[in-house]
Structures are given as structure tokens and as C-alpha cells.
Amino acid sequence: MVRTPLTPEERRRGERFGALLRAARGERSMTDVAAAAGISAETLRKIETGRAPTPSFFTIAALATALGVSLDALADTCAAPEPEAPADSTVHAA
């Protein structure tokens, strides 16, 4: 099966998700959190670094449970589109 390339927004969403997981993990080790979620530490490492930006729903749910983070909080933080950058308002002299 050939996977379609991720869009830049999908990559950024994966990076936001990874950052949220790292923050929620706090001082807990990656190994402890991965074991609590029933996934490998390498899978968690890939998700946290954005190298696996589209984990399955069940992986996300397991991580949310292990970290005590609601799925609503994850969705609010990660699923919302990234805000648009402000337009360049520099006035150019003629």
C-alpha cells in the first residue's frame, strides 16, 4: 500500500500533538508512559518528535488515558487549523 504524502499542515499538526504529549508527560519517562499506554517507547518517541504525525485513534486514546489528558483537549489543541500568518503590512515606497 502506498501512502500519500502528508501536507505541511498535517506535519505541523503532528508536531503540535507531539509537543502536547511531551508537556503532558512532564517528568515521567517515555518508557513508563509508553508501557501504560500499551505501545512501544519507540512509537511514543516517533509521535512526540512528529515523525509519526498520524497515529491511530486507539493509540491516541491510550496515550490520553495514560497521561490523564482528555480527548477533547487533544482535539482542541491539535485538530484545529493553524492560525493564518498576518499579511505583510509593510508599505513600499514608490
Side-chain angles (χ1 to χ4, degrees):
M1 181 173 133
V2 176
R3 236 180 159 178
T4 58
L6 297 173
T7 65
E9 173 54 30
E10 288 170 328
R11 279 194 218 84
R12 287 189 296 272
R13 185 177 57 221
E15 290 166 358
R16 288 192 307 271
F17 181 62
L20 177 63
L21 292 180
R22 280 191 306 280
R25 184 165 57 82
E27 296 297 316
R28 291 176 65 185
S29 77
M30 193 174 284
T31 304
D32 288 344
V33 171
I39 63 173
S40 71
E42 182 58 24
T43 296
L44 180 54
R45 181 176 292 107
K46 286 178 181 177
I47 294 168
E48 284 191 0
T49 60
R51 291 184 310 153
T54 57
S56 75
F57 171 78
F58 295 103
T59 298
I60 294 169
L63 285 167
T65 300
L67 293 168
V69 177
S70 76
L71 290 173
D72 287 338
L74 292 176
D76 289 346
T77 301
C78 301
E82 205 171 278
E84 296 279 331
D88 184 11
S89 60
T90 306
V91 176
H92 299 284

